[in-house]
């Protein structure tokens, strides 16, 4: 399966709501396989379709420490039910988050500790599971991509200021920036 280019902050597809998937066919299953290959090559724990330039409501994930979800999977047309998000100050270490579309950077962000995830697999079968802790963070992060949000769009003012400075110095915020996992230098140093 081919590795896809990952879009970087500023690409329009990343900043608008993705559309529902309506066809559960071989083409979709090939796309899911490509997304897993790309996510693995990028050493990611999740990858949303908008991150590879496709405005579809779907994401892949890999995470080993959960109870009732597959270690590796896809969620298509997801719905999330969340616990409350703490309004406290995010911890720079415990709440630090990164993103393949904001390569090489990370900032702290508070997330809900629980998410109920419902949707469909690549065959159109309904799926439902609960996510806690870091796995819940991954689900929320990927789901936000489907609504045209990146985690850096939700930062508290202190961290938002640092993000804006980094974005400007890197020349992001405009279309046309991408990176190819396995070919380009790994922005996360894996």
């Amino acid at each position: 399966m081919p590795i896809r280019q990952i879009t970087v902050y500023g690409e329009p597809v990343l900043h608008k709501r993705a559309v529902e998937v309506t066809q559960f066919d071989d083409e979709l299953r090939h796309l899911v396989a490509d997304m897993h290959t790309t996510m693995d090559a990028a050493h990611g724990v999740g990858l949303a379709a908008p991150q590879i330039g496709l405005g579809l409501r779907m994401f892949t994930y890999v995470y080993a420490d959960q109870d009732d979800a597959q270690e590796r999977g896809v969620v298509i047309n997801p719905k999330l039910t969340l616990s409350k998000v703490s309004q406290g100050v995010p911890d720079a270490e415990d709440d630090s988050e990164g993103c393949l579309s904001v390569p090489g950077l990370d900032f702290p962000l508070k997330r809900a500790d629980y998410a109920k995830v419902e949707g469909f697999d690549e065959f159109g079968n309904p799926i439902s599971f609960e996510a806690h802790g870091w796995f819940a963070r991954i689900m929320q992060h990927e789901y936000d991509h489907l609504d045209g949000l990146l985690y850096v769009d939700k930062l508290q003012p202190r961290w938002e200021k640092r993000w804006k400075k980094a974005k400007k110095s890197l020349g992001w915020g405009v279309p046309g920036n991408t990176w190819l996992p396995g070919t380009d230098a790994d922005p996360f140093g894996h």
Side-chain angles (χ1 to χ4, degrees):
M1 300 298 129
I3 295 172
R4 305 274 189 118
Q5 292 274 344
I6 295 179
T7 59
V8 174
Y9 191 97
E11 194 63 39
V13 71
L14 291 172
H15 305 286
K16 59 184 169 184
R17 188 178 195 284
V19 298
E20 300 276 324
V21 171
T22 58
Q23 297 288 323
F24 292 82
D25 54 15
D26 285 343
E27 186 176 336
L28 178 69
R29 288 183 279 283
H30 287 296
L31 173 58
V32 170
D34 289 356
M35 289 176 67
H36 277 294
T37 300
T38 303
M39 179 179 67
D40 293 345
H43 305 284
V45 294
L47 181 68
Q51 292 181 274
I52 59 167
L54 301 172
L56 298 172
R57 295 190 72 75
M58 60 185 285
F59 62 80
T60 55
Y61 67 87
V62 58
Y63 190 73
D65 296 333
Q66 68 266 346
D67 295 328
D68 63 348
Q70 295 179 7
E71 179 177 311
R72 181 178 188 80
V74 62
V75 185
I76 299 170
N77 299 336
K79 291 184 178 39
L80 264 59
T81 306
L82 305 175
S83 62
K84 280 190 157 188
V85 178
S86 167
Q87 295 305 308
V89 176
D91 182 89
E93 287 186 31
D94 292 339
D95 297 320
S96 186
E97 198 165 309
C99 179
L100 298 176
S101 291
V102 184
L105 301 177
D106 61 86
F107 297 99
L109 177 69
K110 285 289 191 185
R111 294 278 193 182
D113 286 328
Y114 166 86
K116 181 176 182 182
V117 182
E118 298 173 285
F120 299 90
D121 68 12
E122 65 268 40
F123 298 97
N125 299 316
I127 55 173
S128 177
F129 56 87
E130 295 182 349
H132 302 271
W134 195 257
F135 188 45
R137 177 179 293 273
I138 294 167
M139 296 297 102
Q140 293 165 79
H141 179 107
E142 299 309 326
Y143 183 85
D144 280 351
H145 277 298
L146 307 183
D147 283 341
L149 294 171
L150 282 76
Y151 85 103
V152 290
D153 297 326
K154 297 177 148 193
L155 297 174
Q156 289 186 351
R158 171 184 176 194
W159 301 106
E160 179 184 29
K161 186 176 180 180
R162 291 180 188 186
W163 154 239
K164 286 182 176 180
K165 185 176 180 179
K167 178 177 68 168
K168 184 177 181 182
S169 72
L170 293 165
W172 295 346
V174 296
N177 292 309
T178 63
W179 68 285
L180 185 62
T183 300
D184 293 335
D186 186 333
F188 298 98
H190 295 109

